Amino acid sequence: MTQSIVVQVGQCGNQVGCRFWDLVLREHAHVNQMGVYDEALSSFFRNVDQRRGAVSTGGRITALKARAVLVDMEEGVLGEILQGPLRSLFSSTQLISDVSGSGNNWAVGHHTYGLVYREQIVDQVRKAAEHCDCLQCFFLIHSMGGGTGSGLGTFVLKLLEDEFPEVCRIVTSVYPTAEDDVITSPYNSVLAMKELTEHADCVLPVDNQSLVDIVGKIQHMSNTGKLGCAIKKDCTIISGQGGVVKVEKPFDAMNNIVANLLLNITRY
Ligand SMILES: Nc1nc2c(ncn2[C@@H]2O[C@H](COP(=O)(O)OP(=O)(O)OP(=O)(O)O)[C@@H](O)[C@H]2O)c(=O)[nH]1
Ligand SMILES: [Mg+2]
């Protein structure tokens, strides 16, 4: 069985990433009610027993740790993750953050923070890779509009190519809407796109405007009682209902769609 490592960069990358982890756990709990640490679970999680160390597949679930590295140059989102319901999935060393963010500036993320955090990021990715028997894929999640996601995100992509050339790099890139608040987002997107074309094996482009439209349509159908059998009320496509994260945040419904997309392409 192969394993994958998720690298989530910037606010958007981390918020989408958290919806993904929430959804993976819910789906797994649904199909594996005995709480067995099986091969499907091992593709994204390690199972760690405090006394015995890593537990091999076939045993009971003790403490799951996500195969992930979380990077954001602002503390806010990572701080929330460390205090939120998913906190036990990550040890603090898996989280890499600074204080002030990249100020929506691609170059600050790519060049300034890239150079400063290069070693720390490589170290954490290497540690995560050492815990894998057969590392197949990196899943990078980031936004194209923000400075950290686009700048540092694409720096990390190149880093992964340099350090692990044989491991496939699949990137989920969230594109800004035409009315995006971030004035520099078109520039950040173009600069990041060049890096994607050079260093990614596969890009899953996600358009924020389409996400807004889909969420709006589903909510309209729900309000007018027109939800049919295709989409049920509170289904996982847009809703976190039944998940470990109880309070829905502004981007959650949109991020659930992206998390579903990722879950569907990684399902065994
Ligand atoms: N779909 C979605 N888009 C988001 C989310 N958070 C931010 N965005 C979009 O991402 C872009 C801004 O990027 P961010 O990820 O917030 O920025 P960042 O990577 O943290 O970079 P800096 O804040 O500049 O350091 C804008 O286009 C936002 O609309 C999210 O959770 N989901
Ligand atoms: Mg930010």
Side-chain angles (χ1 to χ4, degrees):
M1 194 73 173
T2 58
Q3 291 88 33
S4 300
I5 296 174
V6 177
V7 183
Q8 33 197 73
V9 187
Q11 172 182 307
C12 176
N14 280 289
Q15 292 185 163
V16 170
C18 280
R19 302 311 305 154
F20 172 71
W21 295 113
D22 185 293
L23 208 57
V24 173
L25 289 176
R26 283 154 71 188
E27 182 180 76
H28 199 268
H30 185 70
V31 296
N32 178 352
Q33 296 183 349
M34 303 298 286
V36 176
Y37 177 63
D38 58 15
E39 298 228 316
L41 206 52
S42 83
S43 55
F44 281 105
F45 298 93
R46 290 191 301 131
N47 190 23
V48 187
D49 185 308
Q50 283 205 325
R51 281 167 301 160
R52 291 185 297 145
V55 180
S56 52
T57 53
R60 308 261 326 152
I61 293 174
T62 50
L64 292 179
K65 292 284 174 206
R67 299 189 193 278
V69 179
L70 286 61
V71 183
D72 195 0
M73 294 295 106
E74 269 171 293
E75 293 170 308
V77 176
L78 295 191
E80 272 175 40
I81 293 174
L82 273 185
Q83 314 221 320
L86 292 171
R87 62 183 176 276
S88 65
L89 287 184
F90 313 103
S91 41
S92 55
T93 52
Q94 281 172 270
L95 278 64
I96 299 172
S97 77
D98 203 293
V99 183
S100 56
S102 306
N104 300 318
N105 184 329
W106 182 89
V108 172
H110 199 83
H111 296 295
T112 312
Y113 286 124
L115 286 184
V116 176
Y117 285 96
R118 188 182 198 286
E119 289 312 311
Q120 207 177 328
I121 295 171
V122 171
D123 247 30
Q124 284 314 314
V125 175
R126 209 170 274 150
K127 275 197 186 118
E130 280 164 10
H131 290 305
C132 299
D133 300 327
C134 178
L135 175 58
Q136 187 183 38
C137 263
F138 287 113
F139 284 92
L140 181 79
I141 312 173
H142 71 142
S143 70
M144 298 294 277
T148 301
S150 69
L152 186 57
T154 52
F155 180 88
V156 172
L157 182 65
K158 166 106 177 36
L159 208 58
L160 296 176
E161 184 184 37
D162 291 345
E163 299 286 327
F164 304 88
E166 72 291 352
V167 181
C168 179
R169 294 171 300 282
I170 299 180
V171 188
T172 305
S173 304
V174 177
Y175 280 75
T177 63
E179 286 89 37
D180 201 274
D181 308 337
V182 178
I183 195 88
T184 48
S185 67
Y187 303 100
N188 294 337
S189 302
V190 170
L191 291 161
M193 210 139 49
K194 175 181 177 287
E195 303 293 320
L196 292 183
T197 55
E198 288 177 3
H199 307 296
D201 290 309
C202 169
V203 178
L204 304 168
V206 175
D207 172 27
N208 256 351
Q209 186 59 53
S210 304
L211 296 181
V212 171
D213 294 348
I214 296 169
V215 170
K217 256 185 211 158
I218 295 178
Q219 272 163 0
H220 176 73
M221 284 159 75
S222 164
N223 293 341
T224 52
K226 287 191 185 143
L227 277 187
C229 45
I231 298 178
K232 298 194 185 73
K233 193 171 187 319
D234 295 332
C235 68
T236 56
I237 293 179
I238 64 160
S239 160
Q241 191 86 3
V244 288
V245 179
K246 300 288 179 224
V247 189
E248 294 239 334
K249 291 197 296 208
F251 281 110
D252 275 357
M254 289 158 67
N255 294 347
N256 275 326
I257 298 175
V258 188
N260 264 283
L261 164 89
L262 274 171
L263 193 65
N264 283 321
I265 65 161
T266 55
R267 192 170 275 149
Y268 284 98

